[in-house]
């Protein structure tokens, strides 16, 4: 049974042709989605400062910052949007163009003139995919908590090894710290995050943040 309901998902539509942007937004809203629109790449990035959409539809050929530039900024500077699908909209329908778009990191590639049935089906499929991934991560976290609780009670060398191996199976970053924020264990994802110092870091073996909060 599929219990996934994507109604109300927020979609950012980046398209420099005003009429086309309006048509896309109208179709999305008629399908039950919430929308925000931007007329160029710079406007899209500005909008992302205050909104986190569930999916991005973005034209490639735009004045100023093109679609590739928008996606590059999102992928490189917004780790919180790593699981947000990014779909290109473009009139560049050649095989080489499609390959370039997908190789650049786009999750899908929709060609103009837009077939709205295909667009809506693609949007739903991508949102459903993210839902499945997040559900699996939640299940991993639940199982990890169970294993960690058992390991803490056991307090053996085997338990410590179990904690390390369990955490390294996690796609999400995990840090195990004591009441004084001394780091007891991290998985490989968390170690990379702490090394980057993007919001969290470690100082003197303790977990530290950019700000007190």
């Amino acid at each position: 049974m599929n219990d996934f309901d994507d109604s109300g998902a927020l979609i950012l539509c980046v398209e420099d042709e005003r009429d086309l942007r309006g048509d896309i937004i109208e179709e999305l809203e008629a399908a039950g989605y919430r929308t925000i629109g931007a007329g160029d790449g710079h406007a899209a990035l500005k909008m992302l400062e205050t909104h986190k959409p569930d999916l991005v539809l973005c034209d490639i050929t735009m004045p100023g910052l093109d679609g590739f530039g928008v996606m590059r900024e999102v992928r490189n500077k917004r780790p919180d949007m790593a699981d947000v699908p990014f779909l290109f909209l473009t009139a560049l329908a050649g095989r080489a163009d499609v390959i370039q778009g997908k190789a650049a990191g786009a999750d899908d590639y929709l060609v103009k003139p837009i077939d709205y049935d295909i667009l809506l089906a693609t949007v739903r499929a991508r949102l459903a995919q993210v839902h499945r991934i997040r559900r699996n991560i939640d299940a991993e976290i639940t199982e990890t908590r169970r294993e960690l609780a058992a390991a803490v009670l056991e307090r053996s060398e085997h338990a410590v090894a179990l904690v390390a191996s369990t955490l390294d199976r996690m796609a999400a970053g995990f840090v195990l710290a004591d009441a004084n924020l001394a780091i007891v264990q991290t998985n490989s994802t968390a170690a990379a995050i702490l090394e980057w110092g993007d919001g969290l870091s470690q100082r003197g073996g303790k977990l530290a943040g950019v700000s007190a909060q």
Side-chain angles (χ1 to χ4, degrees):
M1 180 178 176
N2 183 9
D3 60 353
F4 173 62
D5 180 10
D6 62 352
S7 60
L10 180 64
I11 298 177
L12 169 60
C13 178
V14 189
E15 169 60 59
D16 63 328
E17 294 183 37
R18 184 189 299 247
D19 291 342
L20 178 57
R21 184 170 71 249
D23 289 343
I24 295 171
I25 287 175
E26 183 178 343
E27 291 285 341
L28 291 170
E29 291 183 346
Y33 299 111
R34 295 178 297 126
T35 63
I36 47 178
D40 58 58
H42 292 294
L45 295 181
K46 187 69 177 176
M47 193 161 285
L48 290 175
E49 293 177 5
T50 54
H51 297 81
K52 181 186 175 183
D54 297 294
L55 182 143
V56 177
L57 288 170
C58 186
D59 187 18
I60 290 181
T61 307
M62 297 183 292
L65 186 66
D66 66 9
F68 289 111
V70 174
M71 185 173 65
R72 187 165 49 248
E73 287 290 307
V74 170
R75 297 299 195 217
N76 293 340
K77 298 181 180 180
R78 291 294 302 272
D80 60 311
M81 289 183 60
D83 62 348
V84 174
F86 198 104
L87 280 58
F88 274 144
L89 299 171
T90 181
L92 304 175
R95 182 173 180 272
D97 298 313
V98 174
I99 291 173
Q100 181 186 10
K102 292 191 174 183
D107 295 292
D108 225 317
Y109 193 103
L110 298 170
V111 176
K112 300 175 183 176
I114 296 172
D115 182 320
Y116 288 104
D117 289 334
I118 292 177
L119 183 147
L120 293 175
T122 303
V123 166
R124 179 165 177 77
R126 288 300 175 180
L127 291 174
Q129 181 182 45
V130 171
H131 173 73
R132 290 193 300 272
I133 293 171
R134 288 174 178 170
R135 185 176 57 191
N136 289 339
I137 289 175
D138 288 343
E140 281 187 341
I141 290 174
T142 298
E143 178 62 17
T144 298
R145 283 175 175 162
R146 187 193 66 76
E147 292 182 353
L148 289 178
V152 168
L153 289 174
E154 189 177 334
R155 293 178 178 275
S156 67
E157 184 175 331
H158 170 72
V160 173
L162 175 62
V163 171
S165 64
T166 300
L167 291 176
D168 272 329
R169 292 202 306 268
M170 299 294 295
F174 243 89
V175 178
L176 184 62
D178 64 18
N180 297 315
L181 295 183
I183 297 175
V184 177
Q185 188 61 262
T186 65
N187 69 349
S188 54
T189 303
I193 293 172
L194 294 176
E195 184 178 348
W196 294 333
D198 185 11
L200 287 176
S201 63
Q202 55 179 330
R203 299 181 194 136
K206 290 189 174 184
L207 192 63
V210 172
S211 67
Q213 288 178 326

